Amino acid sequence: MKTTLDQPGNSLLPRSQETLSPGTQLMRMKVHHAIHRLVEWLERNDYRGYDTFDGLSARFLRPLTFNRPFLRIGLQQGVRRFPINLRPMLGIAPSRSTKGMGFLARGFLRLYHGTGDTAWWNKAKSALEWLQEHKSPYYSNACWGNHFDYQARGNFFLPRGMPTVVWTSLIGHAFLDAYASSGHKEFLAVAASACEHLLHDVKTTPDGASACVSYTPIHNSQVHNANTLAASLLARTYSYTGNQDYRLLAEKAVTYTACHQRHDSSWYYGEASYYHWIDNFHTAYVLDSFKHYIDSTGDDRFEQNMMNGYIYWKDAFFLPDGCPKYYNDKTRPIDIQCCSQAIDTLVFFHDRDPESISLAHKVAYWTIEHMQDMSGYFYYRRYSLNVVNKTPTLHWGQATMLCALAGLYRLT
């Protein structure tokens, strides 16, 4: 369905600026201008963009992979890592994405709360309606996947439309945000349906008293951010429905990741040897998920795990000027997903860390100055001062940055 999302009549005028300091007002104006430019770009492009992992949609080269995993990985990663955008030459068209529309819906809801302008609510509602119409066809409960095939290491192949726990959980949060904003039970029903999918369709691996929710329904893959994101949606939906099955699986999943926290309070991406790296935005996903679980259930046994991990993350992943590093031991490539998720997590932790908003402002300032194009969209990656991949990705950049900047704007 083609969705028309009209520009709000009074743009981003805040409800009140009377209590803001001059410095905060200037930063809010900078964020306001960045959001305005980004929304204009999104409108001009009908909410379509590329995806970092859409290389297998290259209709001119895909047949040459002969359906061999290592050749599919080569094509996918070649398109992803090449410093210029090869997609137009390879026959890959800009598209909407489910995860992108989920982040956009959350961003629009935050702008609605920050401005009081109902046009933002209408934008969010339109995005959620689109998501309702683009659920995965593989399962009866609400779930979402990629709009392209995906190949990873370990013979991990995910066909187009097959749902992932990451997509489903993050989109489920968008519906919970809408329910929290409106009280309309149809939004809560979608989130509950997504939880039923996590309970009954997705593989869960027991590990003593804990359990790990797999990345997809068709793979037995233990990844910490997917596991804890599932827990976050289950716990938050439990807080509205009282469904004890949701809470029980959420508790087991959080326990699994807490038990695998490393001695320095970090987490690997996953426990398999080929998952042994530590990066910025996946760590932030885990931290957000712990906080959702604790805040939603009142179970504070994991508060120290969370705060130790948060302190590690703040110390390991940011340069003095606010530039977010990709890995704990390596700065580049500077990735827009690290920028957006850093802002979002810092804003989310403002009630635990009085310094978080100051760092969020630094990250936002650095990102707007170094990663936003004059046309309004945000670049995908910066490899050096002069080498920049300017691909306009949708969820991995535009949608996540709108969501993050909207959250910062609303809070300040």
Side-chain angles (χ1 to χ4, degrees), residues 267-307:
W267 286 278
Y268 285 132
Y269 176 76
E271 292 308 306
S273 60
Y274 47 83
Y275 288 152
H276 281 189
W277 72 82
I278 303 165
D279 69 65
N280 191 329
F281 70 91
H282 287 117
T283 301
Y285 277 161
V286 172
L287 294 171
D288 283 1
S289 298
F290 267 78
K291 189 171 185 295
H292 275 303
Y293 173 82
I294 294 168
D295 291 350
S296 298
T297 65
D299 182 358
D300 61 0
R301 290 174 296 157
F302 305 102
E303 181 80 18
Q304 200 61 53
N305 296 88
M306 179 184 73
M307 292 311 300

Side-chain angles (χ1 to χ4, degrees), residues 104-136:
L104 288 174
R106 301 192 80 180
F108 294 147
L109 286 167
R110 292 171 180 183
L111 290 171
Y112 166 62
H113 285 290
T115 66
D117 187 345
T118 56
W120 293 115
W121 166 256
N122 292 333
K123 280 177 170 285
K125 189 176 177 183
S126 294
L128 294 171
E129 288 171 354
W130 186 93
L131 285 165
Q132 285 267 50
E133 296 173 359
H134 290 81
K135 291 181 287 190
S136 171

Side-chain angles (χ1 to χ4, degrees), residues 95-243:
S95 301
R96 293 185 179 186
S97 78
T98 53
K99 192 175 179 185
M101 295 302 280
F103 272 107
L104 288 174
R106 301 192 80 180
F108 294 147
L109 286 167
R110 292 171 180 183
L111 290 171
Y112 166 62
H113 285 290
T115 66
D117 187 345
T118 56
W120 293 115
W121 166 256
N122 292 333
K123 280 177 170 285
K125 189 176 177 183
S126 294
L128 294 171
E129 288 171 354
W130 186 93
L131 285 165
Q132 285 267 50
E133 296 173 359
H134 290 81
K135 291 181 287 190
S136 171
Y138 288 97
Y139 297 91
S140 58
N141 285 310
C143 53
W144 295 268
N146 297 318
H147 57 282
F148 49 84
D149 292 342
Y150 173 78
Q151 179 73 58
R153 288 176 286 183
N155 205 30
F156 182 106
F157 180 73
L158 196 66
R160 173 181 175 175
M162 181 60 64
T164 75
V165 166
V166 172
W167 259 234
T168 299
S169 300
L170 289 169
I171 293 168
H173 277 294
F175 282 92
L176 287 181
D177 289 352
Y179 174 68
S181 297
S182 67
H184 295 168
K185 291 186 178 180
E186 62 267 26
F187 297 127
L188 179 59
V190 176
S193 179
C195 290
E196 292 298 314
H197 169 71
L198 297 175
L199 277 175
H200 301 296
D201 300 328
V202 180
K203 299 177 185 295
T204 301
T205 303
D207 185 21
S210 68
C212 185
V213 180
S214 189
Y215 200 94
T216 79
I218 62 173
H219 301 96
N220 188 19
S221 177
Q222 288 82 51
V223 172
H224 285 299
N225 79 94
N227 175 57
T228 54
L229 282 168
S232 72
L233 180 66
L234 289 162
R236 194 173 167 210
T237 308
Y238 155 79
S239 72
Y240 293 117
T241 65
N243 189 313

Side-chain angles (χ1 to χ4, degrees), residues 304-330:
Q304 200 61 53
N305 296 88
M306 179 184 73
M307 292 311 300
N308 287 345
Y310 175 78
I311 292 167
Y312 171 87
W313 174 72
K314 275 187 64 179
D315 289 343
F317 286 109
F318 300 95
L319 300 182
D321 62 354
C323 173
K325 297 164 58 179
Y326 196 104
Y327 297 105
N328 61 330
D329 57 357
K330 181 182 175 183

Side-chain angles (χ1 to χ4, degrees), residues 246-373:
Y246 299 169
R247 172 171 178 152
L248 179 60
L249 181 54
E251 180 181 354
K252 288 182 177 181
V254 168
T255 301
Y256 173 87
T257 294
C259 289
H260 287 281
Q261 191 169 24
R262 301 177 71 237
H263 70 278
D264 61 358
S265 298
S266 66
W267 286 278
Y268 285 132
Y269 176 76
E271 292 308 306
S273 60
Y274 47 83
Y275 288 152
H276 281 189
W277 72 82
I278 303 165
D279 69 65
N280 191 329
F281 70 91
H282 287 117
T283 301
Y285 277 161
V286 172
L287 294 171
D288 283 1
S289 298
F290 267 78
K291 189 171 185 295
H292 275 303
Y293 173 82
I294 294 168
D295 291 350
S296 298
T297 65
D299 182 358
D300 61 0
R301 290 174 296 157
F302 305 102
E303 181 80 18
Q304 200 61 53
N305 296 88
M306 179 184 73
M307 292 311 300
N308 287 345
Y310 175 78
I311 292 167
Y312 171 87
W313 174 72
K314 275 187 64 179
D315 289 343
F317 286 109
F318 300 95
L319 300 182
D321 62 354
C323 173
K325 297 164 58 179
Y326 196 104
Y327 297 105
N328 61 330
D329 57 357
K330 181 182 175 183
T331 298
R332 292 191 175 96
I334 299 165
D335 191 294
I336 193 61
Q337 188 80 347
C338 295
C339 302
S340 59
Q341 190 56 48
I343 297 166
D344 209 37
T345 297
L346 288 164
V347 169
F348 191 34
F349 273 78
H350 79 276
D351 61 343
R352 299 294 208 283
D353 174 18
E355 299 177 355
S356 69
I357 299 305
S358 175
L359 181 53
H361 282 157
K362 271 183 147 182
V363 177
Y365 185 91
W366 188 95
T367 303
I368 294 166
E369 288 292 307
H370 295 90
M371 301 292 280
Q372 190 169 26
D373 189 78

